[in-house]
Amino acid sequence: MEHLHRTKQDENKGHHYLEKETQNEITHLIGSSITNNILLMMKSAKYYSIILDCTPDISKFEQTTVVVCFVQETRLDGVYSVRIREHVLGFLPVPDSSSSTLAQVKLKFLEDKKILLCNMRGQGYGIGANMKGKKSRLQKRISDMNKRAFYIPCSSHSLNPCCYFF
């Protein structure tokens, strides 16, 4: 409170770190650190599953949520434990929800995060026709690139594909 009071009295005293730009930068740095830690855990696990779900936001712009699942193995003092981890890695804007666009967005996301497609073992999506079709839809496009990335429909949006692959 004292810092805020002094800052309000004399705005020319220098940096007080209350500007929205500074707060946004701090928030971005914290978010990047958390994302990097999740990616390190995921890459040490090697195999992962991914869940994508699209929904329009309040401005009617289509957003895709990216969730990754993997198994984390730890050994501490001779005790071996296995834990299924599930983390949101991001929200991606998509121009439309066609299977070709979603495949491009997904592959670009994996490339940007340096996540290997060949290590994907599960893919889960909503049950929309653009996602689940076996001939030309998103799951088919990814399966054509990685035969081990099995598809499980996400009928209730509570899918945890890691359980099925490990």
Side-chain angles (χ1 to χ4, degrees):
M1 287 302 285
E2 184 178 329
H3 175 71
L4 292 174
H5 181 64
R6 282 188 205 162
T7 302
K8 286 180 182 178
Q9 285 181 343
D10 188 6
E11 292 185 16
N12 297 326
K13 266 195 158 179
H15 295 287
H16 49 75
Y17 307 106
L18 297 176
E19 299 93 5
K20 68 178 181 178
E21 292 82 12
T22 304
Q23 292 175 4
N24 289 342
E25 183 178 351
I26 291 169
T27 302
H28 175 74
L29 290 170
I30 291 170
S32 294
S33 177
I34 291 169
T35 300
N36 289 337
N37 285 336
I38 293 168
L39 289 170
L40 284 173
M41 285 188 296
M42 188 182 104
K43 290 174 184 177
S44 72
K46 188 172 181 180
Y47 300 115
Y48 66 95
S49 295
I50 194 164
I51 301 170
L52 293 185
D53 190 23
C54 293
T55 188
D57 64 14
I58 195 165
S59 65
K60 306 287 190 239
F61 197 77
E62 196 74 25
Q63 294 279 337
T64 298
T65 306
V66 180
V67 178
V68 292
C69 305
F70 55 91
V71 175
Q72 183 182 38
E73 301 175 66
T74 57
R75 183 171 285 181
L76 183 62
D77 298 328
V79 177
Y80 181 76
S81 67
V82 174
R83 184 173 167 196
I84 296 174
R85 306 291 302 240
E86 184 174 88
H87 297 279
V88 174
L89 271 187
F91 303 96
L92 307 173
V94 291
D96 62 75
S97 59
S98 69
S99 61
S100 60
T101 301
L102 290 171
Q104 289 172 1
V105 167
K106 179 178 180 175
L107 293 171
K108 173 128 177 54
F109 178 81
L110 294 175
E111 181 183 317
D112 290 347
K113 300 295 183 191
K114 296 178 176 52
I115 300 170
L116 298 176
L117 178 65
C118 64
N119 291 336
M120 183 187 298
R121 293 298 181 260
Q123 51 178 327
Y125 312 112
I127 57 173
N130 62 332
M131 302 283 203
K132 68 178 183 166
K134 292 184 178 180
K135 292 188 178 176
S136 65
R137 301 307 181 204
L138 181 57
Q139 67 100 3
K140 170 73 169 137
R141 292 172 188 270
I142 300 302
S143 294
D144 286 347
M145 291 181 257
N146 178 357
K147 301 289 184 208
R148 293 183 175 149
F150 296 102
Y151 168 71
I152 298 175
C154 180
S155 60
S156 65
H157 294 81
S158 61
L159 174 66
N160 190 344
C162 260
C163 298
Y164 300 102
F165 301 110
F166 300 99

